Amino acid sequence: MFEEGELVFLVDSDGKQHWAKITQSMLKIPSLGTINGNKVMDLDDGSELVIDGEKLTIFRPGTIDLIKSLDRGAQIITPKDAASILFNCDIKTGDVILEIGTGSGALTTALVSAVKPNGRVHTVELREKNVIVTLKNLKRTGLDEKWTYQIGDARSVKVNILADTIVMDIPDPENAVDNLFPCLRKGGRICAYVPNTNQVELIVNALRHRNFYDVFSLEILQRKMEVHRGGVRPSYDMLGHTGYLVFGRKRS
């Protein structure tokens, strides 16, 4: 069942999501109405309830739901790319992650969700306004307890951490590799997210020059399927190019 302070969302008949935090007192849900919080706490994931005559379904959010609901400032790393980062970097509970650049906190949310409860994510961010947006988003979801940050330039800032993985979302990751190299444990993984092919070439060559193992780059394309009575076809809309991912693994 749901717990006090837990973030949930309710889906109405039009598929719209309405977000709320569970409380034992009267729970006000914007644009829907008010309901006794104790009744909500007696429910579980996927249950139905009625507010002011409207039937809704209540869900516990997954990581993708959290990312889609974030307040946005800078452009986010999409779930399709975030999922590839988590898998190719073997990110799991207990890991220590060094993130370079947080944007609006979408990837940060995915990283913290993956390493909790025993791991942590430390972010180096050049712009304080991005940290403010990310902190707001993480506090809303309760993930801020496993997140720390510092303001600085990844090409020169001193970072006191030994990470299992470094993830970089900055324009010139190749220029930060030398400074961050001591922060990555032997056998640790590195990932760079860049939007242009010339940036791919620069970071791939930088990692190869520093003797990283299994350096490769890929692009993720995503297309939904339209399923109708009498026929199934690919959607005309496609989530195509968002960025290129570059991976590598540190040798001694």
Side-chain angles (χ1 to χ4, degrees):
M1 295 186 292
F2 297 115
E3 299 179 356
E4 176 85 14
E6 187 172 358
L7 183 68
V8 299
F9 67 92
L10 298 91
V11 181
D12 62 23
S13 57
D14 295 324
K16 182 179 179 181
Q17 295 181 353
H18 306 266
W19 291 78
K21 278 194 174 182
I22 301 296
T23 177
Q24 294 185 21
S25 60
M26 295 304 292
L27 180 62
K28 184 177 181 180
I29 303 173
S31 74
L32 287 181
T34 304
I35 190 171
N36 187 334
N38 285 317
K39 292 183 178 180
V40 178
M41 293 183 68
D42 290 337
L43 302 175
D44 56 14
D45 199 14
S47 296
E48 289 189 346
L49 70 160
V50 178
I51 300 178
D52 288 344
E54 182 171 4
K55 184 181 293 186
L56 303 111
T57 307
I58 186 169
F59 290 105
R60 179 176 286 114
T63 302
I64 288 181
D65 300 308
L66 295 177
I67 290 175
K68 289 180 178 179
S69 70
L70 296 180
D71 288 340
R72 297 191 183 186
Q75 180 67 32
I76 69 166
I77 291 180
T78 61
K80 71 179 179 68
D81 295 318
S84 183
I85 292 171
L86 295 177
F87 186 84
N88 281 287
C89 290
D90 192 34
I91 294 173
K92 56 193 178 299
T93 181
D95 280 359
V96 176
I97 310 298
L98 176 57
E99 180 190 38
I100 308 302
T102 185
S104 300
L107 180 60
T108 313
T109 297
L111 293 172
V112 178
S113 296
V115 304
K116 69 175 187 179
N118 301 317
R120 66 188 178 104
V121 176
H122 181 75
T123 299
V124 175
E125 171 58 52
L126 188 61
R127 297 176 177 83
E128 188 170 4
K129 66 178 183 179
N130 288 343
V131 166
I132 292 172
V133 174
T134 295
L135 183 58
K136 177 184 177 182
N137 283 324
L138 291 180
K139 281 187 173 181
R140 171 177 167 269
T141 59
L143 295 174
D144 57 300
E145 295 181 0
K146 297 299 180 180
W147 183 64
T148 55
Y149 68 89
Q150 65 186 98
I151 304 297
D153 189 333
R155 295 170 295 184
S156 58
V157 69
K158 183 174 178 57
V159 184
N160 294 315
I161 195 172
L162 186 62
D164 298 291
T165 298
I166 296 176
V167 181
M168 299 186 285
D169 180 14
I170 55 176
D172 58 340
E174 70 281 358
N175 292 327
V177 173
D178 282 341
N179 184 51
L180 300 176
F181 192 84
C183 301
L184 183 64
R185 67 167 176 82
K186 286 193 295 184
R189 293 171 168 84
I190 193 167
C191 172
Y193 176 89
V194 292
N196 300 311
T197 54
N198 60 311
Q199 295 168 300
V200 172
E201 182 180 15
L202 290 171
I203 183 60
V204 165
N205 287 335
L207 295 178
R208 287 174 176 169
H209 178 72
R210 289 158 184 83
N211 200 31
F212 273 77
Y213 166 72
D214 194 24
V215 178
F216 66 96
S217 177
L218 54 83
E219 178 185 27
I220 309 295
L221 307 177
Q222 179 176 294
R223 184 171 63 177
K224 289 185 176 181
M225 300 296 292
E226 298 289 345
V227 181
H228 305 286
R229 292 184 64 181
V232 178
R233 63 166 176 80
S235 171
Y236 295 133
D237 296 322
M238 178 176 179
L239 183 56
H241 175 73
T242 49
Y244 300 105
L245 299 171
V246 178
F247 298 95
R249 194 167 188 183
K250 183 180 178 180
R251 305 179 199 258
S252 58

